[in-house]
Amino acid sequence: AGQSHRESFDVFLEDAEGRQLLRLQARRKAAMLQKYRSMACVRDVFFESGASFSAALKQLVEWLEFSRLHGIEHFLVYTFRGTEDAVKEVLMPYLREGLATRIHFDDYPSDKIHRQHQVVQDCLYRAKSHTTWLLPSVDVDEYFHLKSGHFFPDGLVPQDYLKTAWDAIVKSKGKRLEEVRSVSFRSFRFARAPSDALEISSTWREPQLPRSYHHPEKLANGKFACNVHVVHSLWFHFATAYENATEDIMLPETLGVGNHYRVDWPSGHKYGDHFGRDDKKASTFDDALTSEVPALERAIQRRFGEAPQTLLKRLSAEHPPVHLGQSSVDKDEDEDLDE
């Protein structure tokens, strides 16, 4: 307790005979991370010619602000060697205000799956002492939308549902917190909005939930919020090691669903201002999040001091370094492992 104020520590790794294998210095900001109810991990953003993460900096701004408006109390954001300068403008307002903590790796694994796995595992263990619920792998183009308030006593969806919904869902199932390892949801693919507009202004989506790439008879895996106190290891779509007798609660899409704003990569599309107008597979009208556009625009204006349309248009033209070793089209990571 007497050293709780210290910001640097010498760390030693020894073998069974006491021989020193490694010595390093760990640094921290003692007052940075507090106690929260809900946190989110933010993976590295990069440019892909296949358009899955084209205009990623634009999407990062929108997603961070939307998540803050709806209850995420703190972000753990990740950068890798060579990518930190590209995201500095976007991240600095959140870092200065103590809304985010940056974790930087001084390498850049060329394999995207390896990087993502490194992020979610590291983020889980950093969050364990600071939160109960963690969104470990929800990407910056994915928005969780709680569609029903029946989990709450007044029947209304609260503004901060990304903080309060998980406990309410557990309680509605008659479970104790220690009996639930995660709450999962699936996502519809939405057409992307033009470069000067918020993604949530897009009103067209595919009519069906996506199917698994490897097992088309099954629905694709979803994303989730995990209870860090009973989970020990993660994959992008579910917990892989956890306390015995814990369960995952999968929400039906009528109660909670993700809006996934991405191009239809199998069609060879690339992101541009025409999106939302010629995305033929997005044929179902869905304006569930459009009512939130004014509030989100105001929040972005306050944070960055720039008109949202101007900021988003400018960020759409910028991008981090090209993802190393990428192919021209990357399939969605939803298909990298099927349960």
Side-chain angles (χ1 to χ4, degrees):
Q3 299 187 20
S4 61
H5 65 284
R6 292 183 57 187
E7 295 192 353
S8 64
F9 300 85
D10 289 324
V11 179
F12 302 90
L13 179 64
E14 299 178 342
D15 64 15
E17 283 71 43
R19 292 188 294 266
Q20 184 173 308
L21 303 176
L22 177 70
R23 176 179 177 176
L24 56 85
Q25 188 174 70
R27 295 181 179 274
R28 64 163 187 164
K29 289 291 185 181
M32 185 64 72
L33 281 174
Q34 305 170 24
K35 294 292 185 180
Y36 307 103
R37 198 65 189 172
S38 186
M39 293 174 60
C41 314
V42 186
R43 58 178 281 193
D44 61 307
V45 295
F46 50 85
F47 174 74
E48 286 186 322
S49 59
S52 293
F53 276 88
S54 294
L57 297 180
K58 167 189 182 291
Q59 290 187 313
L60 178 59
V61 165
E62 300 177 48
W63 186 87
L64 287 170
E65 212 56 53
F66 180 92
S67 300
R68 275 293 300 168
L69 285 174
H70 290 290
I72 294 297
E73 298 171 284
H74 198 82
F75 303 95
L76 294 177
V77 297
Y78 284 78
T79 57
F80 289 80
R81 175 176 52 82
T83 66
E84 63 270 28
D85 288 342
V87 296
K88 185 179 298 184
E89 176 189 1
V90 171
L91 295 182
M92 281 308 297
Y94 301 93
L95 297 173
R96 282 195 298 262
E97 294 184 40
L99 302 176
T101 298
R102 182 172 76 103
I103 298 93
H104 180 72
F105 287 98
D106 196 25
D107 65 346
Y108 193 89
S110 60
D111 182 75
K112 181 176 70 173
I113 304 306
H114 175 74
R115 283 204 319 280
Q116 290 176 263
H117 193 240
Q118 187 173 342
V119 165
V120 296
Q121 295 288 61
D122 183 87
C123 192
L124 170 64
Y125 278 88
R126 290 180 189 271
K128 275 184 172 289
S129 298
H130 300 285
T131 193
T132 296
W133 293 101
L134 179 70
L135 299 181
S137 58
V138 176
D139 283 323
V140 298
D141 57 359
E142 298 173 311
Y143 292 68
F144 175 65
H145 174 214
L146 188 65
K147 300 177 70 174
S148 172
H150 88 268
F151 304 112
F152 298 93
D154 60 5
L156 302 175
V157 176
Q159 173 73 18
D160 63 349
Y161 65 82
L162 289 177
K163 174 184 177 182
T164 56
W166 321 115
D167 289 308
I169 291 167
V170 169
K171 185 176 180 180
S172 75
K173 297 293 185 180
K175 300 291 182 179
R176 300 190 309 274
L177 181 62
E178 59 269 24
E179 296 177 313
V180 176
R181 63 179 178 268
S182 54
V183 177
S184 298
F185 57 92
R186 293 189 170 92
S187 298
F188 286 102
R189 187 189 72 83
F190 275 70
R192 291 196 59 177
S195 61
D196 62 349
L198 298 173
E199 299 289 3
I200 63 170
S201 67
S202 173
T203 57
W204 294 98
R205 63 168 172 83
E206 292 190 353
Q208 304 295 328
L209 290 168
R211 313 299 295 188
S212 166
Y213 182 82
H214 297 296
H215 302 283
E217 73 279 5
K218 298 168 50 179
L219 291 173
N221 290 312
K223 293 295 179 71
F224 64 107
C226 76
N227 174 1
V228 302
H229 303 308
V230 299
V231 171
H232 310 304
S233 184
L234 298 172
W235 188 248
F236 314 130
H237 306 290
F238 42 79
T240 55
Y242 40 81
E243 293 295 310
N244 292 332
T246 59
E247 65 179 78
D248 170 71
I249 298 173
M250 173 59 79
L251 292 177
E253 62 269 25
T254 54
L255 300 181
V257 70
N259 287 14
H260 194 175
Y261 300 92
R262 60 172 296 156
V263 301
D264 178 35
W265 60 262
S267 299
H269 287 169
K270 293 186 178 181
Y271 179 66
D273 287 344
H274 59 286
F275 273 94
R277 295 194 289 271
D278 68 350
D279 194 327
K280 304 303 183 185
K281 290 186 179 180
S283 59
T284 296
F285 183 79
D286 186 338
D287 64 351
L289 286 183
T290 58
S291 63
E292 304 204 31
V293 167
L296 185 52
E297 287 181 337
R298 289 193 296 270
I300 291 172
Q301 173 95 42
R302 286 194 300 268
R303 183 84 60 197
F304 292 91
E306 187 174 348
Q309 292 80 6
T310 304
L311 175 68
L312 299 178
K313 182 79 170 180
R314 177 168 60 80
L315 291 178
S316 293
E318 301 175 8
H319 57 76
V322 173
H323 165 54
L324 301 180
Q326 71 175 32
S327 60
S328 60
V329 175
D330 268 331
K331 65 182 177 62
D332 193 293
E333 59 268 22
D334 290 351
E335 308 301 344
D336 289 320
L337 179 66
D338 285 314
E339 190 172 27

